[in-house]
Amino acid sequence: MILVHGFGHASWCWSPVTERLAGRGVASVAVDLDGHGLKSTMPATSVTASSAAATLVEQIRRIGQGEPAVVVAHSMGGIVATAAAELEPALFARIVYVAAFAPAAGRSAFAYLGEPEFAGSLVAGLLTGDPAQTGRLEIDLTNRPAIREAFYGDVDPQTADAAIDLLSPGAPIGIPAEAFPVTRDRYGRVPHSFVTCAKDNAVPVAAQRRFIGEIDAIATAPTRVAELDTAHSPFLSRPDDLVGAILDLC
């Protein structure tokens, strides 16, 4: 099982989940996306959804030795996983989205942000700087209360503070800005599941349900859905429940 993080995060955020998967006999690896974690020094202008997807494909191939793997993608990581599944569907045994963007209608992630389903998102209020100059969506890391409310609403304060200290300053704008093709013959034949988070202030549950509908419009089989009554980061607030939901969906 391969775990893909979201905006501003990196492989560290999956640590409570990998521990619990190991305890249930499930091998898992958390990876860093291009422009994040140990790859955060990459030039932001060189990173797009397509380039990050190509890197993820190589990571999946290396980890699984060419065999298909279950890929779990959170938040912005869903953009990259979607593009990667279109690129190399044979490497995906299943995608499990967790409160994620899943742009299966061929639109960029940015194109959704003005839609009614995103009216409750607090992410825009976290941003600072000029993406046109930096090539990055930068988080104002000094605004800790707003970060907690957007990402970690039900995470205990000590863990939330530790997570904020580990956040990257931002993410390459090219990942959410790129629209890429999504087809029934490639992406659509990968089995899909979705863990919705009912109290999410980053990707509101209405937006999550819209993505599920768009996946179902192109997929050859319906999306399997599990619901958690959590905020945006159940890997930190309720990792046992998240692991149970992921395994049930697989």
Side-chain angles (χ1 to χ4, degrees), residues 60-61 63-69 90-92:
I60 297 169
R61 183 176 286 116
I63 293 164
Q65 299 182 37
E67 295 297 316
L91 288 177
F92 287 76

Side-chain angles (χ1 to χ4, degrees), residues 78-79 82-83 86 95 97 100-109 112 180-184 187-188 192 210-219 223:
I79 302 168
T82 300
E86 175 69 19
I95 298 178
Y97 294 103
F101 283 85
R107 307 172 72 200
S108 73
Y112 291 92
F180 48 85
V182 182
T183 64
R184 184 176 181 87
Y187 170 86
H192 302 84
R210 175 168 176 174
F211 288 127
I212 292 168
E214 292 185 356
I215 294 170
D216 286 345
I218 196 172
T223 304

Side-chain angles (χ1 to χ4, degrees), residues 5 12 22 24 50 61 64 71-72 81 91 95 114 126 212 225 247:
H5 63 83
W12 59 262
R24 297 178 70 160
S50 294
R61 183 176 286 116
V71 175
V72 180
L91 288 177
I95 298 178
L126 305 180
I212 292 168
V225 180
L247 296 180

